[in-house]
Each structure stands twice: as structure tokens, then as C-alpha cells.
Amino acid sequence: MAILSQLWSFLGLLTVLQNILPSQLLSLLHSCYESLQDSFSPYSYFEIPEFNGYCGVDLNDLYRHVNLYLNSINPSATATGCSRLTLSRSKSSTRISFTVAPNHTVNDSFLHHRLSWTHHVDTVQDSLDEKRSFVLKLPKRHRLTLLKPYLDHVTSRAEEFERVSRERRLFTNNGHGSFESGWSSVPFRHPSTFETLALEPELKKQLIDDLKAFSDGKEFYHKIGRAWKRGYLLYGPPGSGKSSLIAAMSNLVCYDVYDLELSKVSDNSELRALLIQTTNRSIIVIEDIDCSIDLTGDRLSKTTRRHSPKGKRVGGGGGGGGDGGEDDRRVTLSGLLNFTDGLWSCCGEERLIVFTTNHRDHVDPALVRCGRMDVHVSLGMCGMHAFKALVKNYLGVSSHVLFDVVGSCIRSGGSLTPAQIGEILLRNRKEADVAMKAVISAMQAKILGADVEVEVVESDDTAAEVAESPENWDISSPSPMGRLGVKKRNGWGKSKVKFLVRLKSLTKSESGSRGA
């Protein structure tokens, strides 16, 4: 009881002194007490306020990085030792973000040293505002060797987490010109990934390795003195998966996609303005580069004007703007070259430039040389590995007895595009056997050089007419509609479907003879 009475007496004395002594003296005594405490403490403390300066106007970027960093290490884990968290989720995201609750601590480790972050939230006197800050505690003996490397680690980890977790967007140019924002955007949530792509394993691995090396190559590109960009040329027939590959690239490296439509760009100046408005960590796509605008005749027309006796040069411009009045009113080849490899291509960092075309030979050679389009990706017909990937995605089947027949059809020239196979599998996704037989029927018609259209027709009394391997075909007399009659494979049995393969190229001659 005597101890408690003395303690109460001491607290009463402190209260009286606090009311009697001036505030300046109390502040000085408090500072002396903290200094004395710090001198005996084995830890150093560093405060990171939410805003810079006394006015509280400029946001402290390091405070934001610490908040993102603590999200990346997941403060809800038991190893961090945080007992209370604040959870939030934005309207445009399905991800739940963590924030350390006011005046709670999260533990961390770096280089075998134990550190901690404490989130301080104080109410400003005579105001409803709050003063927020993070306080870092680390061992005093190692503060000089730990502080800068640890803060660099926090910043890099926070930037990576922000890049991966932020919502990606799909931009398109709206044709408003260079005096205002020329891009409009929507959320980009394409589900295509490299796991779902119908690509050969070697090509898939090469693309993944190349994209990861590019996204991690900031120091390398700066060291060699090159702009941090990379060009991809995707070429192949329609339906070969060019757009799906672009979406998978975006999902792998977490970049925004800028779909640049050259037909909406009036001239080279507007093209440069659009390029300046794009952000870092983005994929700039020009689809069907051979059909977007007429670029192939630029050099020929310029040469003709120079050597023609009647040709007169209008203006003396050069470079990216062309050398004639007509060139100044449209996008020219030189302007597009500056966009891909000239001075204007280094207006941002970490950008992928992707051209797509159905006919590689129709693209001007100057656009596809190394340094502009560094990686040329040929996307053709579906091979056996890609076909198995499609079957697994659409049907959930990893193996099937008809895989050998499909492989034989592919080797005999019956390959289809991934889009064609995907459509057949999609229509018959509830029955794997029916889907496989429909694909084989379409491949057989492709081998015969027909314009294939596969239909599924229900029938109760007709067995499925599906061919075996091309080596075992037994082609019967074609009906007026050009139906394929072939031997049935043992073990298939009867089915309640019949596949009608319309051979349009075979019926043209018959219709002509009937008309005669």
C-alpha cells in the first residue's frame, strides 16, 4: 500500500508540474528524456511521414513504397507478428489489400537482421486531420550498412508489387489529334496465358525466356546504350493465334496494351504525339501492318518523283516528315521508322512494339530488320503438341485413342489453324469422342483440297462416318453432295451423329454440268 501511495503522489506531482511549468520547458525536458533513452537503446529509429515538409502537401513517395512493400510480404502471415490489419478492396480490383492498423507493428528481416515497421497515426490538435507515418526500427550498430540497402530493397519490391497487382488497361487511339489525350482505355482482362496457348513447347519456352529477360534488363540496356524496347513481328494465316499471343504477353509481364490504329492517324506529327502519351511498361500493337496504310510504295514514289522530268519537290523537308506536301498530310514510312527505331522511340522505357501481318512478304523490309523487329514469330497451322494443348483446354482430356489418327492427318497436310480446331472443339465440348471425330473429318477434307465446313447433324439410325489414317483411306464413289465414304474403324461402334463435310470445290463442277 505504501508503494501505491507513493506512486500516486509522484503522478500527482507530475500533473501539477505539467500545469505550472511552461510548455517550452516541458518540450525541452521531453527531448532530453528521449535523447537519454536513445543513448541507452540498442536500436535506431527512422520516421517516414506521409507528406514531405511541414505544410503536408507533397506526398512522400517512400511512405507509399513502404505501404506497398508491407502488402507484398503479406502482413497477415504469422511470421510478421502483426495482430491487427486494415483490409480494403477497390471497385476495379478483386484483390484485397492490407494496411497495418494504427499504432501496430510488423516485423521483418533483412540480411539476417531483425527489423520492424510501426504505423503511427496521430490526430492533429484542433483538427479532424490525421498525421500518419511509418517508423523503422533497426539495430543501431548496423544502421549505416543496413539502411540504404534495405530501403533500396523496399523500393524495388514495392515497384514490382505495384506493377503486378495494378489493373491493366487496353488503349486505343480515338483520332482526336495531338492537342489532347489521343487515347481512350478500358480494363484489359483477357484470359489468355502461355499455359492456354496452342504453341509448340520450344517456341513457347523461347518467348517466355525472351520476355522475362527483357523485363529484367533495365541495367543491361542502359549499359549498352540502347533504348529499353523490343520489337516483335507476328505473322501467320488468320486464326493462327496472333491476338491471343499478344494478350498472353501482356499477362506474363503485366504491361498495358496500346492498340494503335494507323488509319486514324492523320500525319507523322500526330503519330509522335501518340507515342509520347504512352506510358512505360506497355505493349504498342499495330495489327495487320501490311493493310493499315499504304507504306510499300513510299520509296518507289519518291524515286519516281526525283527522276521524273515533270516531278517537282514541294518543300525541302526531310527526316520523319517526308519531302512533299502529300507526305505531310499522312503517315509515311520514314515516320513509322522513327516510331520504331528513331529518336522518338526512346521517349519511354520498357516497351514492346508488336507488328502483326498475315503475309510477311508484303511488309516493307525496312520495318522488319533487326533493331526494329528483333523477334520474328511464325504462327502457322496447329501441330500435334499444340493440338493436344487445345484438346486439354477445351475437353479436359490429356490422351485419346484418336491422337494417332490426328497426327497422321497432320503429317499428310491436313493441319488446321488453332481457331478452326478451337471452334470444332467448342461446339462439341460435351462429348470428347464426337469432337475428335469432327476434327478428323475436317482434316481429311483439308487433305483433299476442299473448302471445309463441318456440321454436326443428329441422326438415330446412321453411324458416324469418320476416316482412319490417310494411309488406310477407302474413298468410295462420291454422292452428289461430295460426301466422303470411308471404312469404319474397329471399336468405335455406332453413334447418333453424322458428320457432313461440304466439299465446295468438288460441287462446283457438278453444278456447272447440271446448268449446262
Side-chain angles (χ1 to χ4, degrees):
M1 295 296 296
I3 298 178
L4 289 178
S5 62
Q6 293 177 0
L7 179 61
W8 282 112
S9 300
F10 178 72
L11 293 177
L13 178 62
L14 289 179
T15 304
V16 172
L17 291 176
Q18 187 175 4
N19 294 329
I20 296 176
L21 296 177
S23 59
Q24 293 84 355
L25 181 58
L26 290 176
S27 177
L28 179 61
L29 292 175
H30 182 69
S31 300
C32 293
Y33 172 75
E34 288 185 345
S35 300
L36 183 63
Q37 186 181 18
D38 291 342
S39 62
F40 290 99
S41 175
Y43 299 100
S44 292
Y45 298 87
F46 298 90
E47 185 178 4
I48 302 175
E50 184 179 9
F51 295 97
N52 294 321
Y54 295 100
C55 298
V57 177
D58 298 331
L59 183 66
N60 188 355
D61 204 36
L62 187 56
Y63 178 90
R64 184 177 63 87
H65 286 166
V66 172
N67 201 11
L68 290 171
Y69 172 75
L70 295 179
N71 267 271
S72 68
I73 64 175
N74 193 355
S76 62
T78 57
T80 60
C82 185
S83 59
R84 180 171 296 183
L85 298 171
T86 302
L87 307 181
S88 61
R89 180 169 58 192
S90 63
K91 294 182 180 180
S92 60
S93 176
T94 59
R95 185 184 176 279
I96 298 176
S97 60
F98 302 88
T99 304
V100 182
N103 303 317
H104 281 71
T105 301
V106 174
N107 297 320
D108 193 16
S109 61
F110 181 73
L111 299 179
H112 308 290
H113 294 284
R114 188 174 180 83
L115 307 91
S116 67
W117 290 98
T118 303
H119 189 203
H120 287 289
V121 179
D122 299 324
T123 303
V124 180
Q125 188 176 5
D126 299 331
S127 176
L128 297 177
D129 296 336
E130 292 180 338
K131 181 181 178 181
R132 302 181 182 87
S133 63
F134 281 105
V135 175
L136 171 63
K137 184 181 78 171
L138 49 78
K140 182 183 296 185
R141 292 188 303 173
H142 306 284
R143 61 180 181 179
L144 297 179
T145 57
L146 278 181
L147 184 60
K148 187 179 185 306
Y150 180 65
L151 292 181
D152 291 341
H153 166 71
V154 168
T155 299
S156 61
R157 181 80 174 265
E159 291 177 347
E160 177 65 18
F161 177 77
E162 185 179 27
R163 180 179 69 87
V164 173
S165 60
R166 70 183 178 89
E167 182 186 48
R168 290 180 294 279
R169 302 194 68 83
L170 173 63
F171 294 83
T172 183
N173 52 312
N174 49 34
H176 289 170
S178 59
F179 298 101
E180 56 181 300
S181 179
W183 298 99
S184 57
S185 67
V186 295
F188 184 69
R189 298 167 184 167
H190 200 290
S192 177
T193 63
F194 276 93
E195 286 74 19
T196 61
L197 281 181
L199 291 178
E200 297 302 311
E202 293 182 1
L203 176 59
K204 185 181 298 187
K205 184 179 183 303
Q206 290 175 1
L207 289 174
I208 292 175
D209 293 343
D210 189 77
L211 289 169
K212 289 183 177 179
F214 171 79
S215 62
D216 298 334
K218 180 178 182 179
E219 296 181 358
F220 174 77
Y221 277 86
H222 287 181
K223 182 180 67 175
I224 64 177
R226 286 187 56 176
W228 192 9
K229 68 174 185 62
R230 194 157 179 81
Y232 285 80
L233 175 67
L234 312 183
Y235 62 96
S240 56
K242 296 185 288 293
S243 298
S244 297
L245 177 56
I246 295 174
M249 293 166 64
S250 172
N251 290 329
L252 178 67
V253 294
C254 301
Y255 290 179
D256 292 329
V257 177
Y258 287 83
D259 186 12
L260 178 59
E261 189 173 345
L262 289 179
S263 59
K264 291 184 180 180
V265 183
S266 59
D267 52 26
N268 293 332
S269 298
E270 184 177 347
L271 181 64
R272 289 192 294 268
L274 288 171
L275 177 63
I276 293 174
Q277 294 169 9
T278 59
T279 60
N280 296 338
R281 294 172 178 168
S282 59
I283 302 177
I284 303 173
V285 180
I286 302 180
E287 295 190 288
D288 298 323
I289 184 62
D290 55 322
C291 304
S292 299
I293 54 176
D294 185 15
L295 296 173
T296 56
D298 281 357
R299 293 183 177 180
L300 181 61
S301 60
K302 289 181 180 180
T303 305
T304 303
R305 289 198 303 269
R306 289 170 181 170
H307 293 283
S308 176
K310 297 181 180 180
K312 295 182 180 180
R313 297 182 63 179
V314 181
D323 57 357
E326 182 181 357
D327 288 347
D328 294 336
R329 295 189 298 270
R330 67 183 182 93
V331 177
T332 62
L333 177 62
S334 60
L336 196 57
L337 293 180
N338 281 332
F339 164 75
T340 57
D341 193 34
L343 294 176
W344 289 98
S345 65
C346 59
C347 296
E349 287 189 331
E350 202 170 353
R351 290 175 178 174
L352 298 174
I353 302 175
V354 180
F355 288 170
T356 70
T357 178
N358 296 335
H359 307 283
R360 184 179 180 274
D361 296 337
H362 295 176
V363 183
D364 194 288
L367 280 173
V368 298
R369 70 165 177 81
C370 292
R372 289 168 182 156
M373 294 295 107
D374 307 289
V375 182
H376 295 199
V377 182
S378 175
L379 301 173
M381 297 299 176
C382 198
M384 195 59 201
H385 290 285
F387 176 78
K388 290 181 179 179
L390 288 174
V391 171
K392 185 175 182 180
N393 293 336
Y394 282 86
L395 307 179
V397 176
S398 300
S399 61
H400 199 275
V401 294
L402 298 182
F403 276 171
D404 293 337
V405 181
V406 172
S408 182
C409 290
I410 292 176
R411 290 190 297 270
S412 300
S415 299
L416 303 176
T417 63
Q420 292 172 322
I421 295 176
E423 178 60 27
I424 297 174
L425 298 179
L426 180 64
R427 287 198 303 236
N428 304 281
R429 61 186 181 276
K430 294 183 179 180
E431 299 184 42
D433 293 339
V434 173
M436 292 293 297
K437 295 172 185 178
V439 171
I440 294 174
S441 296
M443 288 183 172
Q444 292 167 351
K446 174 68 178 299
I447 295 175
L448 294 178
D451 188 4
V452 180
E453 181 181 352
V454 180
E455 283 187 349
V456 179
V457 182
E458 294 185 359
S459 176
D460 295 333
D461 56 353
T462 306
E465 297 181 358
V466 184
E468 298 179 344
S469 300
E471 295 85 353
N472 301 325
W473 282 9
D474 181 18
I475 303 178
S476 62
S477 300
S479 63
M481 291 300 295
R483 187 179 302 173
L484 290 179
V486 294
K487 295 190 300 183
K488 292 184 292 183
R489 185 179 181 90
N490 295 333
W492 284 357
K494 293 185 177 181
S495 177
K496 293 185 178 181
V497 294
K498 178 172 63 177
F499 301 94
L500 299 180
V501 182
R502 296 182 180 179
L503 309 182
K504 297 181 181 179
S505 61
L506 297 180
T507 57
K508 290 181 181 178
S509 58
E510 293 180 2
S511 60
S513 61
R514 289 178 184 176

